Amino acid sequence: MARLAIGLTAVTVVFFVAALTLGPAPIGPVESLHALIAGDEGPLTLVMREIRLPRATLAVMVGASLGLAGAAMQGYLRNPLAEPGLIGVSGSAALGAVIAIQTGLATSMALGLPAMALIGALVGVTLVMALAGPRGSSLTLILAGIAISALAAALTSLVLNLSPNPFAANEIVFWMMGSLADRSMTHVWIALPFMGVGWAMLATLGRGLDALTLGEDAAGAMGISLKRLRLTLVLGTASVVGAATAVAGAIGFVGLVVPHILRPLVGAQPSRLLWASAICGATMVLAADIAVRLILPERDLKLGVVTAIVGAPLFLHLIYKTRRQLA
Amino acid sequence: MTFLSINRLSVSLRDRCVLRNVSFEVGAGECVGLLGPNGAGKTTLMRAALGLIPYEGESSIANMVSADRARMAAWMPQTREIAWPMTVERLVVLGRIPHMANGQRPTAKDYEKVNAALAAMDLDRFRDRTATRLSGGEQVRVLIARVLAQDTPLILADEPVAGLDPAHQISTMQIFSELARAGRSVIVSLHDIGLAARHCTRLILLSDGGVAADGPPGEVLTLDRMAEVFGIHAFYRDTEDGPVFQPLKVIE
């Protein structure tokens, strides 16, 4: 297990350094890193500190959040098809952001967009918890999540529908595809507290998720409070996914595919899958963001598009493999 | 010493009264068979006793702090759930969760209990197999081993022997009665009255949400009562090989 942790972390570090040092200008990695760490007033330091560092840091934070929340959600629902968006948080965060773009709040106020997205996530998670009811059942949580996701999607469409000009609509559609371009350290600082709290909450779930392997009844009898487990899961997921959506837009497939790939490597144990998925999620978003910058740098390819294009076939492959195992 | 004390326990599910004023105590060294027709309230009684569903009345273990209760009583539900393709050994280690702090690795003592449970359920050679790929009966044995690994004074098991082959049915019941002889208590619901008669020290017969009879197998399994509660004619005899019970036919 330790070897897996070291291996996954090493890969993440490699991709992080690559994300920091790869760029259009022909500057060596050593020079770039030196400019980042030692620093002077020169343009290279500015580029490294103000553009590449926040972008790579956000990729790690967003990826770790999505991977961790995905693993937690799959473990809780005992379903490999679950993903963090299932409880409606990413949908409602997106709605908040879209409203911010539509009303002009995103341009008139610094951080208007991420703030509105976070408020959207908060409203969404409050509604889901109210709908799901006080008992710790997973079925009501899924149903409530689906209802809130559908409502948020409908309202997002309504905003697009009523959009006064094609440019606003265009901006909304592009934002929803998800991206890490042109983010600053401010975005890191606004997301970090929410993600930090969410990570800490989700990290405590390992034992409960392990027990849930044997079903809700057996877990309850083993001293796991299902009510508290569900509350921690929902609040933790809302916190990390809301913050991720606020700074990066909707990035799909990471939370679904990453736990699925890693499950055989950790012996399918939900508690081990948590940290492994966090590390590997960071790698996947870093890699996707590098691809975005390298493949079509002039066309502003969107991160969410790349994760979906890479993620969907990967997922199909996994389904195919599972099918063969079942046969 | 009393491990479980149930006093005037009543349960209503969806405004339907499932259990009415059930009272009994289970002391150390008892292997209690919980009998009754489908829908008599066997599962409900055990779940309410553990505090897993809302109830009225008193149950000595339902009142406990959940972490303490998990070290006092182990529960094997009727639904055999193994959600992920984990190895048999890892699955049985899950039984040690109540004894471990969050994030703590299993210690040598934990593995000792796990190994004993695997050996008791005849699972040594399955240790590294993926539990979800085993046959239904083998999975049941894995889940019983998980319950044994929890190493509690009291074990409640809901139809643990359903789906096992005759040899493993007998050996499982023998393990339960050995645990009872060693000073623990086991409450096991089952439909095989013959197995219950041979291996349990005491039978509690539930009927329509109440206790119809409670006592040693010989006293509980009267032919009149079998006719009344189960609607069957039966054969029951104490032989030199122990008690033999065989249902014969349904009373028209």
Side-chain angles (χ1 to χ4, degrees), chain A residues 38-253:
Chain A
D40 49 38
E41 300 303 307
L44 186 57
T45 301
L46 202 68
V47 166
M48 289 304 291
R49 287 191 179 168
E50 301 297 323
I51 297 174
R52 292 213 194 136
L53 184 64
R55 187 168 184 160
T57 310
L58 279 174
V60 169
M61 286 162 58
V62 168
S65 294
L66 294 174
L68 181 63
M73 197 59 79
Q74 292 187 1
Y76 174 71
L77 296 174
R78 284 157 286 151
N79 190 328
L81 291 177
E83 53 121 12
L86 205 65
I87 57 167
V89 182
S90 41
S92 42
L95 175 63
V98 165
I99 291 173
I101 298 172
Q102 169 78 353
T103 54
L105 203 67
T107 42
S108 64
M109 200 180 104
L111 300 177
L113 190 150
M116 277 296 284
L118 285 171
I119 291 171
L122 186 68
V123 172
V125 73
T126 311
L127 282 173
V128 164
M129 285 317 287
L131 271 172
R135 301 284 303 273
S137 156
S138 55
L139 185 64
T140 50
L141 180 67
I142 306 177
L143 294 174
I146 289 172
I148 295 302
S149 296
L151 184 65
L155 291 175
T156 306
S157 298
L158 181 68
V159 174
L160 269 171
N161 196 174
L162 298 180
S163 154
N165 59 64
F167 300 109
N170 208 22
E171 198 188 339
I172 290 173
V173 170
F174 272 123
W175 182 85
M176 286 200 300
M177 289 176 184
S179 171
L180 287 172
D182 307 324
R183 301 300 194 269
S184 66
M185 280 316 267
T186 322
H187 286 96
V188 173
W189 297 127
I190 192 175
L192 195 58
F194 292 97
M195 288 184 175
V197 168
W199 292 335
M201 289 175 94
L202 294 176
T204 63
L205 295 179
R207 174 183 151 99
L209 296 180
D210 278 354
L212 266 180
T213 304
L214 299 164
E216 295 190 357
D217 232 31
M222 277 200 278
I224 304 298
S225 162
L226 296 175
K227 250 169 150 171
R228 201 171 65 202
L229 179 76
R230 193 179 76 169
L231 188 69
T232 313
L233 171 90
V234 171
L235 294 182
T237 303
S239 200
V240 298
V241 175
T245 311
V247 292
I251 293 170
F253 270 99

Side-chain angles (χ1 to χ4, degrees), chain A residues 219-224, chain B residues 49-52 61-74 150 152:
Chain A
M222 277 200 278
I224 304 298
Chain B
L50 285 158
L52 295 172
I61 51 171
N63 293 333
M64 298 171 80
V65 180
S66 62
D68 293 338
R69 188 195 58 221
R71 286 188 288 267
M72 174 71 200
Q150 201 169 331
T152 51

Side-chain angles (χ1 to χ4, degrees), chain B residues 28-134:
Chain B
E30 288 196 85
C31 179
V32 181
L34 202 54
L35 301 178
N38 294 137
K42 301 183 292 294
T43 303
T44 306
L45 172 58
M46 290 197 276
R47 294 184 71 207
L50 285 158
L52 295 172
I53 49 173
Y55 62 93
E56 285 162 50
E58 285 167 38
S59 160
S60 58
I61 51 171
N63 293 333
M64 298 171 80
V65 180
S66 62
D68 293 338
R69 188 195 58 221
R71 286 188 288 267
M72 174 71 200
W75 166 231
M76 178 177 170
Q78 195 177 359
T79 44
R80 326 260 189 235
E81 209 173 326
I82 302 176
W84 303 113
M86 286 160 67
T87 63
V88 168
E89 186 186 57
R90 284 237 184 118
L91 208 70
V92 175
V93 171
L94 295 183
R96 301 301 298 168
I97 283 178
H99 303 272
M100 296 191 285
N102 199 358
Q104 187 196 325
R105 284 163 172 276
T107 61
K109 189 191 165 214
D110 291 319
Y111 277 113
E112 198 181 295
K113 302 287 179 195
V114 168
N115 290 338
L118 286 170
M121 290 319 296
D122 189 17
L123 287 167
D124 279 320
R125 61 207 166 84
F126 292 99
R127 183 184 288 267
D128 296 318
R129 294 268 296 274
T130 303
T132 44
R133 295 201 193 111
L134 299 178

Side-chain angles (χ1 to χ4, degrees), chain B residues 14-243:
Chain B
R14 295 178 173 272
D15 297 326
R16 201 172 60 85
C17 184
V18 183
L19 280 183
R20 260 186 325 274
N21 285 333
V22 172
S23 301
F24 62 88
E25 287 193 349
V26 177
E30 288 196 85
C31 179
V32 181
L34 202 54
L35 301 178
N38 294 137
K42 301 183 292 294
T43 303
T44 306
L45 172 58
M46 290 197 276
R47 294 184 71 207
L50 285 158
L52 295 172
I53 49 173
Y55 62 93
E56 285 162 50
E58 285 167 38
S59 160
S60 58
I61 51 171
N63 293 333
M64 298 171 80
V65 180
S66 62
D68 293 338
R69 188 195 58 221
R71 286 188 288 267
M72 174 71 200
W75 166 231
M76 178 177 170
Q78 195 177 359
T79 44
R80 326 260 189 235
E81 209 173 326
I82 302 176
W84 303 113
M86 286 160 67
T87 63
V88 168
E89 186 186 57
R90 284 237 184 118
L91 208 70
V92 175
V93 171
L94 295 183
R96 301 301 298 168
I97 283 178
H99 303 272
M100 296 191 285
N102 199 358
Q104 187 196 325
R105 284 163 172 276
T107 61
K109 189 191 165 214
D110 291 319
Y111 277 113
E112 198 181 295
K113 302 287 179 195
V114 168
N115 290 338
L118 286 170
M121 290 319 296
D122 189 17
L123 287 167
D124 279 320
R125 61 207 166 84
F126 292 99
R127 183 184 288 267
D128 296 318
R129 294 268 296 274
T130 303
T132 44
R133 295 201 193 111
L134 299 178
S135 78
E138 287 161 350
Q139 290 188 6
V140 171
R141 275 154 58 203
V142 173
L143 293 173
I144 297 173
R146 192 282 296 174
V147 167
L148 296 180
Q150 201 169 331
D151 192 32
T152 51
L154 181 64
I155 290 174
L156 293 97
D158 199 358
E159 298 196 19
V161 294
L164 295 186
D165 58 50
H168 284 111
Q169 283 193 347
I170 294 171
S171 62
T172 302
M173 290 306 289
Q174 274 172 347
I175 287 164
F176 287 151
S177 60
E178 273 162 30
L179 286 173
R181 270 199 297 278
R184 302 182 193 216
S185 297
V186 180
I187 302 175
V188 43
S189 80
L190 67 179
H191 282 298
D192 191 326
I193 304 173
L195 271 179
R198 291 178 71 84
H199 299 284
C200 295
T201 58
R202 170 184 171 191
L203 298 181
I204 295 177
L205 181 60
L206 287 183
S207 173
D208 284 331
V211 176
D214 179 355
E219 287 172 27
V220 171
L221 299 176
T222 62
L223 297 184
D224 287 347
R225 206 174 266 133
M226 291 301 102
E228 189 190 324
V229 173
F230 289 100
I232 53 168
H233 284 302
F235 168 89
Y236 182 62
R237 194 85 21 105
D238 259 317
T239 68
E240 53 194 36
D241 293 320

